[in-house]
Structure formats: structure tokens, C-alpha cells
Amino acid sequence: MSDHKFRFGVVVTPEGGGTQWAATAKRVEELGYSTLLMPDGLQLLSPFPSLAVAACATTTLRVGAFVLAGPLRSPRAAAWEGHSLSVLTEGRFDFGIGTGRPEAQRFAEALGRPWGSAGERLRGVAESIEHLRELDGDRHTPVLVAAGGPKALALAACTADIVTLAAPPLAGRDHLAGMAATLRDAAGERAGDIEISMNLFAVGDDEIPPWTQKFIGADRATLAAHDSQTLVGGTPAEMADELRRRRDEYGLSYVSVNGSFLEQFAPVVELLAGT
């Protein structure tokens, strides 16, 4: 299904000061992860300076927004920030963007930015990518689009290098396979160039951290009962086998994991990264 080799990212946010954040970035790199990813929202530090610090603390680690909430910035401002970080990291930045989760509406209002309709938010994502390409010139900053519905998948199929399948937390195997098929159909000849990604909320057999349970509205048992694709359980070898199955079935090759499982998931990274 996919010719892409496995690679892995960690979704994490800064805690403490710059020294602690730099140490986190170094640890992510040491464990063999490809990318340090950071979410976007006013409850957090700004992703652009945070990712710049993480990149400066490491040598090969990629950094990326996961993902920018489009309405929080004008398309031109988002592209300007993204292009700047791409240049300063010497190409180690991935420009991740989406239309924003519902809770981002209050952030947009706090910033004096319009939230807009679903269609307007999607157009803002497209414009941000267009401006980034203009600023990049001969440079190519990889673009990651988080896409759930058909229209977002269609946009991602035309514009993205990486597409994160933004499925509901309880979505099972068939749902993800259907999304991937929709993406490939829309992408046509460039389907093979697109890296398919998704984020894991739960790893192994431990319970999900309380804040994550609140965020997704489910505990580990509920995820398991629905065959949620945001969960991989068992031993490292069993988890590796499951991810190979997902690559065969719907092309998943780029897997990001909740930062709470950074150490626990590292043996799976060791087994699969680059294979």
C-alpha cells in the first residue's frame, strides 16, 4: 500500500524554561524520533519560538506545528512565520496547519480574529499554503495538513506533503481506510508522494493520562472496545506488527505519539524507524 518508510514524531509542549525544553528536544532526538511536534493555542507558549529553541538544541531533529489553527493568524502572517522558521532551521521545519478544533474559536476571538464558516476556514488554510510557497521560492517547506472531511482531504490531496488523518477518537480501521482511499482518489498521480500520518493518544497497556481522557472524551477501555486507531497496545513487537498492518491496509507510515508516552514508545521506534 505504501512505499514510505516508517518515521515517528512526538507531540509535546514546553514545561519549565528554555533549558528544560532544550533537554526534552535532545531526548526526543536521542530516542530516534524524526520530529518534535507542538500544538497551537493560547493556553500554550507560541509554537514558532518554542520550535526554534528545540531546533537549535538538536542537530538532525525536525520540528513542526501540529497543527497551526488557521483562524488564529492571517494567511500571510502564518506563511511568514513558517517560512522564517524553515530558513532558520535550514529546512528542518514542517508547516502543519488545519482549520482549528472547536475550542480554538475562543482563541481567535481573544486575538480579534474572525472564526468564519467551515468553508472560510478551509480557504484560509489554502491561502496560507499559497503564501508559503510564494515566500519559499526555490525552497520547499514540507506542508502537513490535518484533514478530516472530504473537502479538507481534497485540499490536502492537492497541496500537502504529509496528511494527518484527523478522524474522531473512536474511529476504527474501516473509517481510516476509507479516509485514506478518499485522499488517494483525490490526489491522483501524486498519491504516492503523500505521506499519511496519524496521532496516537494511547500506547501499550497503561491507562491514558487524565487530561488526554478529557480531551478525547474516552478512556483506554473505550478506545479498545471500538478498535480505535488512536490506540496501539501490547508489547513493542505487537505494536510494531500492528503498525505494519496499518501501513499495508491504508498507507500509514508517519506516526506521532502523545508526549506522555515518549519513553514507552521508544522501543517501537527502534524496531520500525527507517524500515
Side-chain angles (χ1 to χ4, degrees):
M1 174 67 74
S2 173
D3 293 329
H4 292 282
K5 297 183 184 299
F6 278 112
R7 68 185 183 109
F8 299 90
V10 178
V11 182
V12 65
T13 58
E15 295 181 4
T19 301
Q20 184 175 342
W21 178 233
T24 297
K26 290 176 182 176
R27 184 58 177 159
V28 170
E29 184 176 54
E30 287 169 1
L31 291 175
Y33 290 90
S34 165
T35 318
L36 182 151
L37 299 158
M38 184 174 167
D40 187 26
L42 292 186
Q43 81 280 24
L44 306 169
L45 295 179
S46 170
F48 289 107
S50 300
L51 293 171
V53 169
C56 286
T58 56
T59 56
T60 62
L61 186 71
R62 301 192 64 80
V63 296
F66 193 78
V67 294
L68 299 177
L72 302 193
R73 302 164 186 82
S74 71
R76 182 73 182 185
W80 176 46
E81 296 280 11
H83 171 73
S84 298
L85 194 48
S86 182
V87 171
L88 292 173
T89 61
E90 299 183 330
R92 287 193 284 140
F93 172 68
D94 293 343
F95 184 82
I97 191 166
T99 57
R101 294 178 57 85
E103 59 267 25
Q105 182 171 0
R106 62 187 174 90
F107 300 147
E109 292 169 352
L111 291 168
R113 293 279 307 153
W115 179 246
S117 66
E120 288 168 338
R121 296 196 302 276
L122 194 61
R123 283 194 292 276
V125 170
E127 290 172 13
S128 297
I129 297 169
E130 289 172 5
H131 285 307
L132 177 66
R133 294 298 181 225
E134 291 169 4
L135 290 170
D136 271 353
D138 293 335
R139 174 181 297 277
H140 184 86
T141 302
V143 168
L144 179 154
V145 172
K151 292 181 179 179
L153 287 167
L155 172 64
C158 296
T159 61
D161 303 284
I162 309 157
V163 179
T164 289
L165 301 179
L170 299 184
R173 199 175 305 269
D174 290 345
H175 187 109
L176 271 294
M179 292 177 69
T182 298
L183 174 68
R184 286 193 300 273
D185 289 345
E189 291 183 357
R190 70 182 303 267
D193 297 330
I194 296 174
E195 195 173 21
I196 295 179
S197 170
M198 79 171 295
N199 186 47
L200 299 177
F201 288 121
V203 166
D205 299 320
D206 293 340
E207 188 50 85
I208 307 170
W211 68 267
T212 305
Q213 289 190 40
K214 183 178 180 181
F215 180 71
I216 65 177
D219 58 13
R220 190 191 184 287
T222 303
L223 294 180
H226 287 78
D227 190 28
S228 169
Q229 299 296 279
T230 65
L231 163 70
V232 288
T235 66
E238 289 169 336
M239 289 189 277
D241 285 343
E242 169 59 21
L243 292 177
R244 291 188 189 99
R245 223 172 357 257
R246 295 183 189 185
R247 183 169 64 179
D248 291 342
E249 290 178 5
Y250 51 84
L252 175 69
S253 62
Y254 182 19
V255 180
S256 59
V257 64
N258 183 312
S260 301
F261 300 105
L262 168 66
E263 301 285 344
Q264 185 176 349
F265 196 65
V268 181
V269 175
E270 185 176 3
L271 287 171
L272 290 181
T275 66

